[in-house]
Short mmCIF file of all heavy atoms in Angstrom, two decimals:
data_model
loop_
_atom_site.label_atom_id
_atom_site.label_comp_id
_atom_site.label_asym_id
_atom_site.label_seq_id
_atom_site.Cartn_x
_atom_site.Cartn_y
_atom_site.Cartn_z
N LEU A 1 -0.70 12.39 5.54
CA LEU A 1 -1.90 11.87 4.89
C LEU A 1 -1.58 11.70 3.40
O LEU A 1 -1.72 12.63 2.61
CB LEU A 1 -3.08 12.82 5.10
CG LEU A 1 -3.44 13.11 6.56
CD1 LEU A 1 -4.59 14.10 6.65
CD2 LEU A 1 -3.78 11.82 7.31
N LEU A 2 -1.13 10.52 3.02
CA LEU A 2 -0.65 10.28 1.67
C LEU A 2 -1.81 10.05 0.71
O LEU A 2 -2.86 9.52 1.10
CB LEU A 2 0.28 9.07 1.65
CG LEU A 2 1.55 9.15 2.48
CD1 LEU A 2 2.41 7.90 2.26
CD2 LEU A 2 2.35 10.41 2.18
N PRO A 3 -1.62 10.38 -0.58
CA PRO A 3 -2.69 10.19 -1.55
C PRO A 3 -2.84 8.74 -1.97
O PRO A 3 -2.02 7.88 -1.63
CB PRO A 3 -2.20 11.03 -2.74
CG PRO A 3 -0.71 10.94 -2.65
CD PRO A 3 -0.41 10.98 -1.17
N MET A 4 -3.89 8.46 -2.72
CA MET A 4 -4.02 7.15 -3.34
C MET A 4 -2.81 6.91 -4.25
O MET A 4 -2.33 7.82 -4.92
CB MET A 4 -5.31 7.07 -4.15
CG MET A 4 -6.58 7.11 -3.32
SD MET A 4 -8.07 6.75 -4.28
CE MET A 4 -7.89 4.99 -4.58
N TRP A 5 -2.35 5.68 -4.25
CA TRP A 5 -1.23 5.24 -5.08
C TRP A 5 0.06 6.03 -4.81
O TRP A 5 0.88 6.19 -5.70
CB TRP A 5 -1.57 5.32 -6.57
CG TRP A 5 -2.54 4.30 -7.04
CD1 TRP A 5 -2.31 2.98 -7.25
CD2 TRP A 5 -3.92 4.50 -7.37
NE1 TRP A 5 -3.44 2.35 -7.68
CE2 TRP A 5 -4.45 3.27 -7.77
CE3 TRP A 5 -4.75 5.62 -7.37
CZ2 TRP A 5 -5.77 3.11 -8.16
CZ3 TRP A 5 -6.07 5.47 -7.75
CH2 TRP A 5 -6.57 4.23 -8.14
N ASP A 6 0.26 6.49 -3.59
CA ASP A 6 1.53 7.17 -3.33
C ASP A 6 2.68 6.21 -3.64
O ASP A 6 2.65 5.03 -3.28
CB ASP A 6 1.63 7.63 -1.88
CG ASP A 6 2.77 8.60 -1.68
OD1 ASP A 6 3.91 8.13 -1.43
OD2 ASP A 6 2.56 9.81 -1.80
N SER A 7 3.71 6.74 -4.30
CA SER A 7 4.80 5.87 -4.78
C SER A 7 5.51 5.14 -3.66
O SER A 7 6.03 4.04 -3.87
CB SER A 7 5.80 6.69 -5.59
OG SER A 7 5.22 7.14 -6.79
N THR A 8 5.57 5.71 -2.45
CA THR A 8 6.26 5.03 -1.37
C THR A 8 5.61 3.69 -1.03
O THR A 8 6.27 2.78 -0.55
CB THR A 8 6.29 5.89 -0.09
OG1 THR A 8 4.95 6.27 0.25
CG2 THR A 8 7.14 7.12 -0.29
N LEU A 9 4.30 3.57 -1.29
CA LEU A 9 3.59 2.34 -0.98
C LEU A 9 3.82 1.26 -2.02
O LEU A 9 3.54 0.08 -1.78
CB LEU A 9 2.09 2.61 -0.86
CG LEU A 9 1.67 3.75 0.08
CD1 LEU A 9 0.16 3.86 0.11
CD2 LEU A 9 2.22 3.53 1.48
N LEU A 10 4.32 1.64 -3.19
CA LEU A 10 4.41 0.73 -4.33
C LEU A 10 5.84 0.52 -4.80
O LEU A 10 6.07 -0.20 -5.77
CB LEU A 10 3.58 1.28 -5.48
CG LEU A 10 2.10 1.54 -5.17
CD1 LEU A 10 1.43 2.30 -6.31
CD2 LEU A 10 1.37 0.23 -4.89
N ALA A 11 6.81 1.12 -4.13
CA ALA A 11 8.18 1.16 -4.64
C ALA A 11 9.02 -0.04 -4.25
O ALA A 11 10.17 -0.15 -4.69
CB ALA A 11 8.87 2.43 -4.16
N TYR A 12 8.49 -0.95 -3.43
CA TYR A 12 9.30 -2.04 -2.90
C TYR A 12 8.66 -3.40 -3.13
O TYR A 12 7.43 -3.53 -3.11
CB TYR A 12 9.52 -1.84 -1.39
CG TYR A 12 10.20 -0.54 -1.06
CD1 TYR A 12 9.47 0.55 -0.59
CD2 TYR A 12 11.57 -0.39 -1.25
CE1 TYR A 12 10.09 1.75 -0.30
CE2 TYR A 12 12.20 0.82 -0.96
CZ TYR A 12 11.46 1.89 -0.49
OH TYR A 12 12.06 3.09 -0.23
N ASP A 13 9.50 -4.39 -3.29
CA ASP A 13 9.02 -5.77 -3.29
C ASP A 13 8.59 -6.14 -1.87
O ASP A 13 7.55 -6.77 -1.67
CB ASP A 13 10.14 -6.69 -3.77
CG ASP A 13 9.70 -8.15 -3.81
OD1 ASP A 13 8.76 -8.46 -4.57
OD2 ASP A 13 10.30 -8.96 -3.09
N ASP A 14 9.37 -5.73 -0.88
CA ASP A 14 9.01 -5.92 0.52
C ASP A 14 8.37 -4.64 1.03
O ASP A 14 9.04 -3.71 1.45
CB ASP A 14 10.25 -6.27 1.34
CG ASP A 14 9.93 -6.47 2.82
OD1 ASP A 14 8.73 -6.40 3.19
OD2 ASP A 14 10.87 -6.70 3.60
N ARG A 15 7.04 -4.59 0.98
CA ARG A 15 6.33 -3.36 1.32
C ARG A 15 6.19 -3.15 2.82
O ARG A 15 5.66 -2.13 3.25
CB ARG A 15 4.98 -3.34 0.61
CG ARG A 15 5.16 -3.22 -0.89
CD ARG A 15 3.87 -3.28 -1.66
NE ARG A 15 4.14 -3.13 -3.10
CZ ARG A 15 3.24 -3.32 -4.05
NH1 ARG A 15 2.00 -3.67 -3.74
NH2 ARG A 15 3.56 -3.16 -5.32
N SER A 16 6.67 -4.11 3.61
CA SER A 16 6.60 -3.93 5.06
C SER A 16 7.50 -2.79 5.52
O SER A 16 7.42 -2.37 6.67
CB SER A 16 6.99 -5.22 5.79
OG SER A 16 8.35 -5.56 5.55
N ARG A 17 8.35 -2.26 4.63
CA ARG A 17 9.15 -1.08 4.99
C ARG A 17 8.26 0.08 5.39
O ARG A 17 8.64 0.94 6.18
CB ARG A 17 10.02 -0.65 3.80
CG ARG A 17 10.91 0.53 4.12
CD ARG A 17 11.74 1.00 2.95
NE ARG A 17 12.74 0.04 2.52
CZ ARG A 17 13.91 0.37 1.96
NH1 ARG A 17 14.22 1.65 1.78
NH2 ARG A 17 14.75 -0.54 1.57
N ILE A 18 7.03 0.11 4.85
CA ILE A 18 6.12 1.22 5.17
C ILE A 18 4.68 0.75 5.43
O ILE A 18 3.93 1.44 6.12
CB ILE A 18 6.15 2.28 4.05
CG1 ILE A 18 5.57 3.61 4.53
CG2 ILE A 18 5.49 1.80 2.78
CD1 ILE A 18 5.97 4.78 3.67
N ILE A 19 4.30 -0.43 4.91
CA ILE A 19 2.95 -0.96 5.16
C ILE A 19 3.08 -2.24 5.99
O ILE A 19 3.57 -3.25 5.48
CB ILE A 19 2.21 -1.32 3.86
CG1 ILE A 19 2.21 -0.16 2.87
CG2 ILE A 19 0.76 -1.73 4.17
CD1 ILE A 19 1.57 -0.51 1.54
N PRO A 20 2.67 -2.25 7.25
CA PRO A 20 2.68 -3.50 8.00
C PRO A 20 1.87 -4.57 7.26
O PRO A 20 0.82 -4.29 6.68
CB PRO A 20 2.01 -3.13 9.33
CG PRO A 20 2.28 -1.65 9.47
CD PRO A 20 2.22 -1.11 8.07
N GLU A 21 2.39 -5.79 7.26
CA GLU A 21 1.76 -6.85 6.47
C GLU A 21 0.29 -7.04 6.84
O GLU A 21 -0.54 -7.34 5.97
CB GLU A 21 2.54 -8.16 6.65
CG GLU A 21 2.11 -9.27 5.71
CD GLU A 21 2.23 -8.91 4.23
OE1 GLU A 21 3.17 -8.17 3.87
OE2 GLU A 21 1.38 -9.36 3.44
N ALA A 22 -0.04 -6.85 8.10
CA ALA A 22 -1.43 -7.03 8.53
C ALA A 22 -2.38 -6.05 7.87
O ALA A 22 -3.59 -6.30 7.78
CB ALA A 22 -1.52 -6.90 10.05
N HIS A 23 -1.86 -4.92 7.38
CA HIS A 23 -2.71 -3.88 6.80
C HIS A 23 -2.70 -3.90 5.27
O HIS A 23 -3.48 -3.17 4.65
CB HIS A 23 -2.25 -2.49 7.26
CG HIS A 23 -2.18 -2.34 8.74
ND1 HIS A 23 -2.94 -3.08 9.62
CD2 HIS A 23 -1.43 -1.49 9.53
CE1 HIS A 23 -2.67 -2.72 10.86
NE2 HIS A 23 -1.76 -1.77 10.83
N ARG A 24 -1.85 -4.69 4.70
CA ARG A 24 -1.64 -4.60 3.25
C ARG A 24 -2.92 -4.84 2.45
O ARG A 24 -3.22 -4.11 1.51
CB ARG A 24 -0.54 -5.58 2.82
CG ARG A 24 -0.24 -5.55 1.34
CD ARG A 24 1.01 -6.32 1.04
NE ARG A 24 1.23 -6.47 -0.39
CZ ARG A 24 2.37 -6.85 -0.93
NH1 ARG A 24 3.40 -7.14 -0.16
NH2 ARG A 24 2.50 -6.97 -2.23
N SER A 25 -3.69 -5.86 2.83
CA SER A 25 -4.90 -6.17 2.05
C SER A 25 -5.96 -5.11 2.19
O SER A 25 -6.82 -4.95 1.32
CB SER A 25 -5.46 -7.53 2.47
OG SER A 25 -5.86 -7.51 3.84
N HIS A 26 -5.94 -4.34 3.30
CA HIS A 26 -6.89 -3.23 3.44
C HIS A 26 -6.49 -2.05 2.58
O HIS A 26 -7.35 -1.33 2.05
CB HIS A 26 -6.96 -2.78 4.91
CG HIS A 26 -7.54 -3.79 5.83
ND1 HIS A 26 -8.76 -4.40 5.62
CD2 HIS A 26 -7.07 -4.31 7.01
CE1 HIS A 26 -9.02 -5.24 6.60
NE2 HIS A 26 -8.01 -5.21 7.45
N VAL A 27 -5.19 -1.83 2.43
CA VAL A 27 -4.69 -0.65 1.72
C VAL A 27 -4.63 -0.89 0.21
O VAL A 27 -5.03 -0.03 -0.59
CB VAL A 27 -3.29 -0.27 2.26
CG1 VAL A 27 -2.67 0.83 1.41
CG2 VAL A 27 -3.40 0.17 3.71
N ILE A 28 -4.11 -2.03 -0.20
CA ILE A 28 -3.95 -2.35 -1.63
C ILE A 28 -5.00 -3.40 -1.97
O ILE A 28 -4.90 -4.57 -1.58
CB ILE A 28 -2.53 -2.84 -1.94
CG1 ILE A 28 -1.51 -1.78 -1.53
CG2 ILE A 28 -2.40 -3.17 -3.43
CD1 ILE A 28 -0.07 -2.19 -1.69
N ARG A 29 -6.02 -2.98 -2.72
CA ARG A 29 -7.15 -3.85 -3.00
C ARG A 29 -6.82 -4.82 -4.14
O ARG A 29 -5.87 -4.62 -4.89
CB ARG A 29 -8.39 -3.02 -3.34
CG ARG A 29 -8.68 -1.88 -2.38
CD ARG A 29 -8.79 -2.32 -0.92
NE ARG A 29 -9.83 -3.31 -0.70
CZ ARG A 29 -10.30 -3.66 0.50
NH1 ARG A 29 -9.80 -3.08 1.58
NH2 ARG A 29 -11.23 -4.58 0.62
N ARG A 30 -7.62 -5.85 -4.26
CA ARG A 30 -7.31 -6.89 -5.25
C ARG A 30 -7.28 -6.38 -6.68
O ARG A 30 -6.59 -6.92 -7.54
CB ARG A 30 -8.33 -8.03 -5.13
CG ARG A 30 -8.14 -8.89 -3.89
CD ARG A 30 -9.08 -10.07 -3.90
NE ARG A 30 -8.87 -10.93 -2.73
CZ ARG A 30 -9.56 -12.05 -2.50
NH1 ARG A 30 -10.53 -12.41 -3.36
NH2 ARG A 30 -9.32 -12.77 -1.44
N ASN A 31 -8.05 -5.34 -6.97
CA ASN A 31 -8.08 -4.81 -8.33
C ASN A 31 -6.94 -3.82 -8.58
O ASN A 31 -6.86 -3.22 -9.66
CB ASN A 31 -9.42 -4.14 -8.63
CG ASN A 31 -9.59 -2.83 -7.88
OD1 ASN A 31 -8.93 -2.59 -6.88
ND2 ASN A 31 -10.49 -1.98 -8.37
N GLY A 32 -6.07 -3.60 -7.58
CA GLY A 32 -4.95 -2.68 -7.75
C GLY A 32 -5.18 -1.30 -7.15
O GLY A 32 -4.24 -0.52 -7.05
N ASP A 33 -6.42 -0.97 -6.75
CA ASP A 33 -6.64 0.31 -6.09
C ASP A 33 -5.80 0.37 -4.82
O ASP A 33 -5.74 -0.60 -4.05
CB ASP A 33 -8.11 0.50 -5.73
CG ASP A 33 -8.98 0.83 -6.93
OD1 ASP A 33 -8.42 1.07 -8.01
OD2 ASP A 33 -10.22 0.83 -6.79
N CYS A 34 -5.17 1.50 -4.59
CA CYS A 34 -4.32 1.70 -3.42
C CYS A 34 -4.86 2.91 -2.67
O CYS A 34 -4.80 4.03 -3.17
CB CYS A 34 -2.87 1.93 -3.87
SG CYS A 34 -1.70 2.12 -2.53
N LEU A 35 -5.42 2.68 -1.50
CA LEU A 35 -6.17 3.72 -0.80
C LEU A 35 -5.26 4.81 -0.24
O LEU A 35 -4.06 4.63 -0.08
CB LEU A 35 -6.99 3.10 0.32
CG LEU A 35 -7.99 2.00 -0.08
CD1 LEU A 35 -8.88 1.64 1.10
CD2 LEU A 35 -8.85 2.43 -1.27
N ALA A 36 -5.87 5.96 0.03
CA ALA A 36 -5.15 7.07 0.66
C ALA A 36 -4.87 6.70 2.11
O ALA A 36 -5.77 6.26 2.84
CB ALA A 36 -6.00 8.34 0.59
N THR A 37 -3.62 6.86 2.54
CA THR A 37 -3.19 6.29 3.81
C THR A 37 -2.77 7.35 4.83
O THR A 37 -2.39 8.46 4.49
CB THR A 37 -2.02 5.32 3.59
OG1 THR A 37 -1.01 5.98 2.82
CG2 THR A 37 -2.48 4.07 2.88
#
């Protein structure tokens, strides 16, 4: 249960290494908020 803005979610240009593309818009909001996952 990772926290908001966990670095693993933000460390890559290709975030599909850990965030499936279908879920990206739910997890990383347009204003930059990154939800707890």
